[in-house]
Amino acid sequence: MVDITPEKVENVSPAEVPEADLYHAHSFWTKYVFCQDAKVIAIQYSGTAVVIGMVGLVLSWLMRLQLGVPETFSFISPESYLQFVTMHGMIMVIYLLTALFLGGFGNYLIQLMVGARDMVFPYVNMLSYWIYLLAVLILVASFFVPGGPTGAGWTLYPPQAILSGTPGGTGLGIILMLVSLAFFIIGFTMGGLNYVVTILQARTRGMTLMRMPLTIWGIFTATVLALLAFPALFVSAIMMTLDSVLGTSFFMPAIVEFGEQLSYGGGSPILFQHLFWFFGHPEVYIVALPAFGIVSDLLSVHARRHIFGYRMMVWAIVAIGALSFVVWAHHMYVSGMNPWFGFFFATTTLIIAVPTAIKVYNWTLTLWRGDIHLTIPMLFAIAFIITFVNGGITGLFLGNVIVDVPLSDTMFVVAHFHMVMGIAPILVVFGAIYHWFPLMTGRMLNDAMGRFHFWVTFIGAYLIYFPMHYLGFVGVPRRYWSMEDTNFIPDSAADLNAFITVAALIVGFAQLVFIYNILVSIFKGKPSERNPWKATSLEWQTETVPPGHGNFSKELPVVYRWAYSFSVPGTVDDYVPQNVHPNDVKLVEPEGS
């Protein structure tokens, strides 16, 4: 809580080391292109992620057109459909969401929220972005090579991933995908080490770990997860590249293709699945934990109430991160694993739901009796809670072996995965952009367009994915180009697929309105106040908005309290910023004084 008693001033220890000199740009190129300012790097990350994300959005439209009106468009062949599925999944999970939360919000918010001048290693930070951009360009290049990109599915399971029967399997498509992933991981490692060291070593005076905003806790824990999990994907990408190019047999068993015995032998496809999902399930929380932290801050600010159970929320984030490494094989129930392994991973899947449920309870109690302002960021935050709970419940279905086996390869999995890993995090991204856009630009986004964007996106997402659960229950398989005359699939499935396609196109259009809103508001938006949301965290206490190079004035701020001092009894304002000295807090004059 906050102590506003003037006589009780906490002793803030002096700075242990002098401030390091900042690098100052000397030209347009070093100020806006090869820039070492984390805020500019954050915008570069975000812009690149949004552009490649739009490619993923268009691919999803093409898939929906085929499913909604089968075989109407001649350019959507069975091969290209599988390629669209693969590239859409990988783009959205890795190159959009991971890059946005860690590269975008991580770079912009960490140094501001902990009271630092910049990241600890700004040059390495700059390199991390350019390596990410290189990874994106390599991925995009696969669209233009003979045979096109890989169509192995976004999980890239061998042996089919590098066999000639798979689109892009024996050409450059799969190679470029694997090389792109390797470069992405190299770039992220540079950025991730920066995030961790900055949070641990560059916090301003008074900013203890238990005074950090939950946004920083979420980004910090997710970064640690990524630094531990990405190496599994890195080595599997290298090993599969060697299997494809040099004919090694890390993942390739003895196999016959079109009647011909291939030279492979002794490899284990299941080993790749273990390596992929040892990365893949922590990846869910690499995206989710920053979202959890951001939602906590949005709820607190826009409900004008302190976060309920702050320490419990911190430890829940840490517990979720730790448990995420012991649930990976619930993605592999149909791989032929020993039933006892299935029992173990079903149990850990239920256990990891406990700290997640604690967070949901605490978000609800934060809203309880709060002064809730239904701003656009608040709408997106509430929508996230609803969506994540819905997606999480279906996750409990799939975490149970006996339920998962018949549903594993159906549209039910697609619906669950998109609710948890697609719609829910994207809602947080939107809420965060509406919340911090005034900080980044000094202008407000258009409110009417924002509310249109919210309602179409929120309602439209449910019109897309709720019917998809039903399709899974009736047995509609995923990744199929066409169902044709399948006896066990009812006629209603075709009608629902057509309905979902229309809803998806409408939701996609709403995202174009959002992008238009951003582009127009950057130049013509209503000028914002310095701290329009009356927030308490340090990013809103800078001398200028947007913050200049070095973030703060000559003196770094000193922190006296946590970031959730809202509706404090006895104060004039309904919030007390972290850096306001207790003697400077404006108190209500007693009656009759």
Side-chain angles (χ1 to χ4, degrees):
M1 299 294 285
V2 59
D3 188 353
I4 50 88
T5 309
E7 293 77 16
K8 294 182 179 180
V9 179
E10 182 175 333
N11 180 35
V12 178
S13 59
E16 296 179 4
V17 293
E19 287 190 44
D21 291 332
L22 287 174
Y23 173 83
H24 295 281
H26 301 292
S27 69
F28 173 86
W29 291 99
T30 54
K31 187 173 182 179
Y32 295 108
V33 182
F34 299 103
C35 183
Q36 297 184 30
D37 187 333
K39 296 183 292 298
V40 176
I41 294 170
I43 293 170
Q44 290 174 322
Y45 259 110
S46 301
T48 306
V50 168
V51 170
I52 193 64
M54 292 304 294
V55 174
L57 178 65
V58 171
L59 293 176
S60 71
W61 285 346
L62 295 175
M63 289 186 286
R64 286 309 324 172
L65 287 173
Q66 169 59 27
L67 293 173
V69 282
E71 302 181 51
T72 301
F73 301 93
S74 59
F75 63 90
I76 308 178
S77 63
E79 294 77 17
S80 61
Y81 178 82
L82 292 174
Q83 292 169 322
F84 297 160
V85 169
T86 303
M87 299 301 285
H88 166 78
M90 195 62 80
I91 285 171
M92 292 307 200
V93 172
I94 304 293
Y95 298 88
L96 173 66
L97 288 172
T98 305
L100 262 182
F101 276 114
L102 299 183
F105 293 117
N107 266 306
Y108 205 94
L109 296 176
I110 287 173
Q111 21 107 42
L112 284 166
M113 282 185 152
V114 303
R117 295 285 183 198
D118 204 332
M119 290 296 184
V120 171
F121 308 116
Y123 183 78
V124 176
N125 207 26
M126 178 195 73
L127 285 181
S128 75
Y129 165 71
W130 288 101
I131 294 175
Y132 164 66
L133 179 61
L134 176 62
V136 170
L137 293 176
I138 292 172
L139 184 77
V140 171
S142 67
F143 283 100
F144 304 100
V145 298
T150 177
W154 82 277
T155 51
L156 306 178
Y157 281 177
Q160 84 276 9
I162 57 175
L163 294 179
S164 61
T166 301
T170 54
L172 282 173
I174 184 65
I175 301 300
L176 290 174
M177 168 68 81
L178 296 171
V179 171
S180 174
L181 287 172
F183 274 106
F184 178 91
I185 295 165
I186 292 169
F188 165 76
T189 302
M190 290 180 168
L193 291 172
N194 237 327
Y195 309 154
V196 170
V197 175
T198 300
I199 291 170
L200 293 180
Q201 297 295 325
R203 302 190 309 277
T204 192
R205 290 187 297 153
M207 180 63 80
T208 62
L209 289 175
M210 284 300 171
R211 284 178 174 172
M212 292 196 309
L214 289 169
T215 292
I216 302 303
W217 271 109
I219 293 172
F220 173 72
T221 309
T223 303
V224 173
L225 294 190
L227 290 172
L228 296 174
F230 270 126
L233 180 64
F234 182 81
V235 297
S236 59
I238 299 300
M239 290 157 67
M240 191 188 292
T241 302
L242 295 176
D243 279 3
S244 178
V245 175
L246 300 183
T248 56
S249 296
F250 290 109
F251 305 129
M252 300 297 287
I255 194 167
V256 175
E257 182 182 31
F258 299 120
E260 178 185 353
Q261 177 75 43
L262 301 183
S263 60
Y264 298 113
S268 172
I270 299 299
L271 173 61
F272 177 88
Q273 292 190 32
H274 281 291
L275 287 170
F276 182 89
W277 287 115
F278 186 81
F279 143 78
H281 200 81
E283 168 64 17
V284 172
Y285 293 103
I286 290 167
V287 170
L289 291 180
F292 290 168
I294 291 171
V295 161
S296 301
D297 286 354
L298 296 186
L299 291 174
S300 181
V301 170
H302 296 274
R304 315 309 297 163
R305 194 168 187 273
H306 66 270
I307 197 74
F308 184 89
Y310 171 82
R311 288 179 180 270
M312 197 186 306
M313 296 288 265
V314 169
W315 287 114
I317 287 174
V318 174
I320 290 168
L323 289 169
S324 70
F325 282 102
V326 291
V327 296
W328 80 89
H330 68 206
H331 298 273
M332 298 169 54
Y333 288 151
V334 293
S335 68
M337 68 167 64
N338 187 298
W340 284 108
F341 279 119
F343 172 77
F344 171 81
F345 286 106
T347 303
T348 56
T349 301
L350 294 175
I351 292 172
I352 201 172
V354 174
T356 309
I358 287 173
K359 299 193 74 63
V360 174
Y361 297 145
N362 284 12
W363 288 328
T364 305
L365 290 170
T366 298
L367 294 173
W368 179 251
R369 294 188 175 179
D371 179 16
I372 297 174
H373 297 197
L374 290 178
T375 58
I376 298 173
M378 177 61 107
L379 291 174
F380 276 108
I382 295 172
F384 163 80
I385 297 174
I386 296 168
T387 304
F388 192 81
V389 168
N390 281 324
I393 289 172
T394 58
L396 295 177
F397 281 54
L398 297 173
N400 188 317
V401 183
I402 200 167
V403 178
D404 177 79
V405 170
L407 291 177
S408 182
D409 286 315
T410 69
M411 296 297 279
F412 188 92
V413 173
V414 178
H416 157 74
F417 187 78
H418 280 79
M419 291 289 277
V420 170
M421 191 68 180
I423 301 304
I426 285 292
L427 291 172
V428 178
V429 169
F430 290 143
I433 291 174
Y434 282 101
H435 180 78
W436 279 297
F437 186 83
L439 176 69
M440 298 177 185
T441 64
R443 296 182 181 273
M444 302 293 287
L445 285 163
N446 181 278
D447 192 73
M449 279 195 282
R451 291 181 185 276
F452 170 83
H453 173 230
F454 167 75
W455 288 111
V456 174
T457 301
F458 180 53
I459 295 174
Y462 278 78
L463 294 178
I464 294 169
Y465 293 109
F466 259 28
M468 210 175 280
H469 290 86
Y470 167 77
L471 291 178
F473 275 132
V474 299
V476 176
R478 56 186 173 136
R479 299 184 182 176
Y480 272 46
W481 175 70
S482 177
M483 308 302 161
E484 296 184 351
D485 297 324
T486 309
N487 292 331
F488 64 85
I489 297 177
D491 294 337
S492 61
D495 297 331
L496 266 184
N497 263 326
F499 173 81
I500 291 170
T501 296
V502 173
L505 293 172
I506 294 172
V507 171
F509 167 74
Q511 311 323 308
L512 300 180
V513 173
F514 169 67
I515 292 174
Y516 173 79
N517 192 3
I518 287 179
L519 294 176
V520 171
S521 298
I522 287 173
F523 302 103
K524 298 182 179 180
K526 174 186 173 184
S528 71
E529 302 173 29
R530 181 177 166 186
N531 184 1
W533 311 120
K534 303 295 186 285
T536 63
S537 46
L538 292 183
E539 79 272 21
W540 296 102
Q541 317 308 322
T542 56
E543 199 168 49
T544 61
V545 174
H549 187 50
N551 298 332
F552 301 97
S553 57
K554 290 183 179 180
E555 295 292 327
L556 287 173
V558 177
V559 171
Y560 298 97
R561 59 189 62 82
W562 69 343
Y564 303 100
S565 300
F566 295 104
S567 303
V568 180
T571 59
V572 173
D573 300 316
D574 78 333
Y575 71 106
V576 182
Q578 284 188 282
N579 61 324
V580 172
H581 192 283
N583 289 336
D584 296 330
V585 176
K586 296 178 181 178
L587 304 178
V588 176
E589 294 291 337
E591 292 185 13
S593 61

